[in-house]
Amino acid sequence: MSEPLLKVRDLNQHFHVSRNFTVKAVNGVSFDIYPGETYGLVGESGSGKTTIGRSIIRLYNPTSGSIVFQGREIAGKLDRPTEKMLREDMQMIFQDPMSSLNPRKKVGDIIGEGLDIHHRFASTKERDDAIAEMLDKVGLSQSHAERYPHQFSGGQRQRVGIARALIMNPKLIIADECISALDVSIQAQVVNLMKDIQDSTGCAYLFIAHDLSMVKYISDRIGVLHLGYMVETGTTEEIFANPVHPYTKSLLSAVPLPNPEVEKRRKSIAYDKNQEGVDYAAGVEHQLEGTHKVLATDEELARWTA
Amino acid sequence: MEMNENTILKFDNLDISFRTNAGVVHAIRGVNIELRRGETVAIVGESGSGKSVTVKAAVGLLDGNATVNSGKILYRYKNDDGSEKIVDLLAMSKRELRTTINGSRIAMVFQDPMTSLDPTMTIGKQIMEGILLHKRGDKDFAYRRALELLELVGITDAEKRMKNYPHQLSGGMRQRVVIAIALACDPDILICDEPTTALDVTIQARILELIKDVQDRLGLSVIYITHDLGVVAKVADYVNVMYAGKIIEVGKVNEVFYEPKHPYTWGLLAAMPDLETDDDRLASIPGSPPNLLHEPQGDAFAARNAFALKIDEKVEPPLFKVSDTHYAATWLLHPDAPKVEMPKELQARIERARKEAERYQ
């Protein structure tokens, strides 16, 4: 396998709320993303999946751990060239397309902002051409550049968000719940667009979502998070064919399927960490077959695989 | 007023428009829905299809700029003296609705439990409020009833929780409290407007199972509004698929999921990957829903429909009968229409779903 594009090792992200209270949002999470692949992060709200995305792109300062992006350490203090590389080669698509677009800016200027900041054009014409090309690519028309975000529908706004991320030609795009706010039929359009873009540009995605069926569909590999711990990771087939961790099992059993006969009879599996007596902090990563890893103590693993 | 013996709520040719600065938006264009005692009806559609507006009309929660152009919402209930009565909810004043219907006979669960609870009141007080308001008993009674309800919706340590404020509870807990409030006055009908959209999948499954359990125990009739077909499959007996202010396909849940007839329903089902989907691309419905500021000419779905016929652009299709319970509004069902089959991917998926279902029988 080639060198990973992004290497996250033992990432911790803690927030000091007050003198006696610290939220430990992310605890010792490690994973790799290879060039051109899609890595899915799933978990319930509060599991730290968004925090991980935001720590990687340095919207937060990681408490400890290492993040290596294209061979450079980006977890600590950033020097100028590293920061420039990070800001150009890693981009983010946010969840809510309305609140992540500046309502007072024209869509063309929103998309072109990255170009402006990094002086990526020689003339105004070059800039406008780049914006027009990007609009085409995401399925909007060039005349849309003169409009404001409120004049678009939700799906179109998310396309603007994608265009803004793409215009810098990034190597890694962090897509944070980028389809959750959209209708089912529009979700499929946006997911198809993201796949097309990956095929043509070869960028990698960190796809953060709570909708498992969508994550399964789009991801090559998956990491399951719970309460800030990466409880299970592996290729999509490994996780879905043979989930080991009880939380993963409970998550899989909760996905509602469009199949009434099955749904009516199926009961979701409840999972309570305390009831099961699982101690995440005591667990270590166990390698199962291939890239399949589970966080567990020896005793827990024996119980789950029995 | 004629109504089937078992029908408890009936939307009859409901037609609603909204006055806006941009013009008149014709949001609901002739909706018929029947809810029978003890059954669950789901209304599915994209945002803007008018599913929320439809049920809001029944509880008098329409915005001030709404006009009901025509239609009735008939509701059958038992008076306190045991005699049966049928009323048209649209003919009642808001005040009448509030004192006799809302909360006590038809209760509603809203989408976001944080905004539907009062942050300045303890949850105990909020549950008791409705009981006292509808004069179901004195304060002692209300307190005992609130405890009962909290236990019913699966909140442990009920006595302690009574004194909690909404912000002290998790999202799933809050939605349980909202359901407890809705159940406080023993309603006949529970309307759930996207009850789990704001919640996680694991919590969602729990809440849906809870509502079902409560429904079985109390004999409630439930209307679900949702855009998630997975949720529909789990809870509904009957499904109404709504598009641009109209019901375009209605049937028993098995009929709509295993033998869908309308191209829009095909699109919705195909756009949702199941856990076995490994096609390269997801089937998506092109374009976006029509703007109802402009009255659609012909079939509102024609522009996004790969199977549209010439007539779709001129004349709106009526509901064609597929079976006694299954109807769909598409010209493809007309005897003279060309034979059109649903897309192959969807066919394969439904085949898989049926096989899977057999295993469970």
Side-chain angles (χ1 to χ4, degrees):
Chain A
M1 226 186 253
S2 60
E3 192 55 21
L5 177 70
L6 180 80
K7 239 159 87 178
V8 179
R9 285 290 170 275
D10 215 14
L11 178 70
N12 285 290
Q13 182 76 62
H14 300 170
F15 298 99
H16 296 282
V17 178
S18 70
R19 211 180 322 157
N20 339 324
F21 186 51
T22 305
V23 174
K24 295 184 173 162
V26 177
N27 299 293
V29 166
S30 308
F31 61 97
D32 297 326
I33 299 180
Y34 292 91
E37 78 163 352
T38 303
Y39 190 87
L41 273 184
V42 282
E44 58 190 31
S45 53
S47 63
K49 51 193 195 303
T50 299
T51 310
I52 290 178
R54 297 178 75 111
S55 301
I56 291 173
I57 206 168
R58 291 300 305 272
L59 285 169
Y60 299 138
N61 293 324
T63 311
S64 68
S66 131
I67 305 170
V68 178
F69 180 53
Q70 302 199 85
R72 281 203 235 184
E73 178 63 50
I74 57 167
K77 219 160 187 243
L78 298 169
D79 55 14
R80 291 277 328 230
T82 311
E83 168 139 40
K84 189 169 158 56
M85 182 274 291
L86 173 64
R87 296 291 168 237
E88 288 182 351
D89 287 346
M90 198 192 286
Q91 294 289 328
M92 192 152 180
I93 306 170
F94 293 91
Q95 172 169 14
D96 180 358
M98 193 64 227
S99 56
S100 58
L101 300 177
N102 187 341
R104 297 176 51 174
K105 269 192 163 170
K106 285 179 184 156
V107 159
D109 293 329
I110 292 175
I111 296 174
E113 195 171 2
L115 296 180
D116 297 346
I117 290 169
H118 293 280
H119 308 293
R120 281 278 194 93
F121 50 88
S123 64
T124 321
K125 184 164 180 311
E126 203 183 307
R127 169 184 183 268
D128 291 345
D129 285 349
I131 292 169
E133 193 195 327
M134 200 42 73
L135 281 167
D136 262 349
K137 207 173 196 171
V138 298
L140 297 170
S141 89
Q142 299 186 6
S143 62
H144 285 146
E146 294 302 309
R147 295 202 198 158
Y148 290 92
H150 74 262
Q151 293 170 297
F152 291 90
S153 66
Q156 284 176 317
R157 272 182 220 140
Q158 202 53 287
R159 284 165 194 268
V160 174
I162 293 174
R164 168 175 68 178
L166 276 179
I167 198 150
M168 297 305 293
N169 222 343
K171 305 280 182 358
L172 175 66
I173 297 178
I174 298 176
D176 183 7
E177 302 260 11
C178 70
I179 52 167
S180 315
L182 305 174
D183 275 313
V184 185
S185 74
I186 312 292
Q187 276 187 3
Q189 287 177 17
V190 172
V191 165
N192 282 340
L193 172 67
M194 286 175 65
K195 279 204 142 185
D196 289 346
I197 286 165
Q198 190 168 44
D199 289 343
S200 66
T201 66
C203 61
Y205 289 119
L206 174 60
F207 190 81
I208 300 170
H210 61 256
D211 176 356
L212 259 177
S213 46
M214 208 45 112
V215 170
K216 164 148 201 243
Y217 174 69
I218 196 168
S219 309
D220 302 309
R221 293 189 305 127
I222 290 177
V224 182
L225 287 167
H226 190 221
L227 302 175
Y229 290 90
M230 179 81 90
V231 297
E232 191 161 3
T233 179
T235 64
T236 310
E237 290 75 43
E238 285 165 349
I239 297 266
F240 277 81
N242 181 24
V244 170
H245 200 281
Y247 179 68
T248 315
K249 285 181 184 160
S250 135
L251 208 58
L252 284 177
S253 78
V255 182
L257 299 171
N259 189 351
E261 283 295 327
V262 173
E263 274 304 327
K264 292 254 152 73
R265 292 183 174 81
R266 207 172 60 146
K267 275 262 184 266
S268 61
I269 306 169
Y271 169 65
D272 187 337
K273 174 169 156 280
N274 299 328
Q275 246 170 41
E276 306 253 337
V278 180
D279 186 2
Y280 289 155
V284 287
E285 227 169 42
H286 282 272
Q287 181 103 23
L288 306 174
E289 75 280 8
T291 56
H292 196 168
K293 289 180 198 160
V294 179
L295 181 80
T297 59
D298 293 335
E299 181 261 321
E300 281 162 9
L301 186 70
R303 182 148 46 99
W304 295 337
T305 48
Chain B
M1 285 187 261
E2 77 292 351
M3 230 165 128
N4 205 318
E5 182 70 29
N6 282 322
T7 305
I8 173 161
L9 188 72
K10 185 177 177 190
F11 295 80
D12 190 8
N13 203 20
L14 188 66
D15 189 304
I16 296 171
S17 53
F18 290 89
R19 290 181 314 277
T20 66
N21 287 337
V24 175
V25 177
H26 200 171
I28 305 293
R29 307 181 299 137
V31 162
N32 296 295
I33 297 172
E34 241 177 279
L35 175 67
R36 276 172 286 271
R37 185 158 287 131
E39 288 187 337
T40 306
V41 167
I43 307 175
V44 219
E46 294 178 80
S47 41
S49 61
K51 48 195 195 307
S52 280
V53 174
T54 306
V55 296
K56 278 186 178 166
V59 283
L61 286 179
L62 286 177
D63 290 332
N65 61 345
T67 324
V68 177
N69 302 319
S70 69
K72 285 185 197 137
I73 302 177
L74 301 179
Y75 170 53
R76 180 208 299 272
Y77 66 96
K78 274 211 171 71
N79 249 335
D80 295 337
D81 54 30
S83 61
E84 267 201 348
K85 215 175 150 187
I86 298 179
V87 288
D88 179 8
L89 297 177
L90 288 176
M92 295 170 83
S93 72
K94 278 200 176 180
R95 198 191 158 76
E96 257 180 295
L97 272 175
R98 266 207 303 277
T99 50
T100 61
I101 304 288
N102 286 7
S104 62
R105 297 185 197 280
I106 302 180
M108 199 152 168
V109 175
F110 293 93
Q111 174 173 353
D112 185 354
M114 196 64 233
T115 46
S116 50
L117 290 173
D118 185 339
T120 67
M121 267 165 93
T122 61
I123 61 165
K125 251 196 168 152
Q126 294 189 55
I127 300 175
M128 287 158 65
E129 193 182 19
I131 305 173
L132 296 172
L133 209 68
H134 288 291
K135 306 213 169 56
R136 292 296 157 95
D138 58 6
K139 236 176 155 180
D140 271 348
F141 171 80
Y143 186 83
R144 269 181 284 119
R145 177 97 180 109
L147 279 180
E148 248 174 66
L149 286 162
L150 281 179
E151 266 152 30
L152 177 74
V153 297
I155 292 181
T156 48
D157 245 353
E159 200 131 6
K160 243 197 222 150
R161 292 295 181 191
M162 292 281 283
K163 295 192 199 85
N164 281 164
Y165 287 90
H167 73 266
Q168 293 169 299
L169 305 176
S170 67
M173 284 290 189
R174 275 181 219 144
Q175 197 61 298
R176 282 169 199 261
V177 172
V178 173
I179 293 170
I181 293 174
L183 296 174
C185 291
D186 286 319
D188 301 336
I189 301 175
L190 190 64
I191 298 175
C192 302
D193 188 353
E194 308 253 7
T196 55
T197 309
L199 305 174
D200 286 314
V201 268
T202 42
I203 317 281
Q204 162 171 296
R206 224 81 63 69
I207 294 285
L208 294 178
E209 278 158 19
L210 166 70
I211 295 178
K212 209 164 180 183
D213 178 51
V214 170
Q215 175 180 19
D216 290 344
R217 270 201 260 170
L218 307 180
L220 290 173
S221 313
V222 180
I223 299 180
Y224 265 98
I225 300 172
T226 176
H227 63 263
D228 188 337
L229 287 166
V231 171
V232 176
K234 197 174 177 75
V235 299
D237 299 314
Y238 285 88
V239 184
N240 291 274
V241 184
M242 211 165 170
Y243 186 78
K246 275 203 154 183
I247 304 283
I248 51 107
E249 182 156 6
V250 52
K252 286 192 168 160
V253 65
N254 284 8
E255 292 171 330
V256 173
F257 277 81
Y258 297 139
E259 298 155 48
K261 294 293 178 197
H262 199 286
Y264 178 65
T265 318
W266 296 347
L268 278 186
L269 284 169
M272 206 185 147
D274 63 1
L275 292 174
E276 269 95 69
T277 310
D278 48 6
D279 316 333
D280 232 11
R281 298 179 62 82
L282 281 178
S284 68
I285 306 174
S288 45
N291 185 346
L292 292 173
L293 262 178
H294 318 288
E295 194 74 23
Q297 172 94 49
D299 184 1
F301 184 58
R304 305 175 73 189
N305 186 356
F307 307 97
L309 307 172
K310 272 212 181 102
I311 189 170
D312 275 315
E313 282 154 34
K314 301 205 177 66
V315 190
E316 193 148 44
L319 274 176
F320 287 98
K321 183 171 170 178
V322 182
S323 75
D324 279 342
T325 47
H326 189 185
Y327 294 82
T330 165
W331 283 116
L332 294 177
L333 292 174
H334 192 271
D336 296 342
K339 207 107 189 80
V340 173
E341 291 287 328
M342 69 177 88
K344 269 203 213 70
E345 298 85 18
L346 183 59
Q347 234 165 31
R349 162 123 32 120
I350 290 175
E351 210 41 58
R352 272 204 307 266
R354 277 174 186 272
K355 282 230 177 74
E356 175 97 30
E358 274 165 23
R359 284 213 334 246
Y360 276 80
Q361 258 150 21

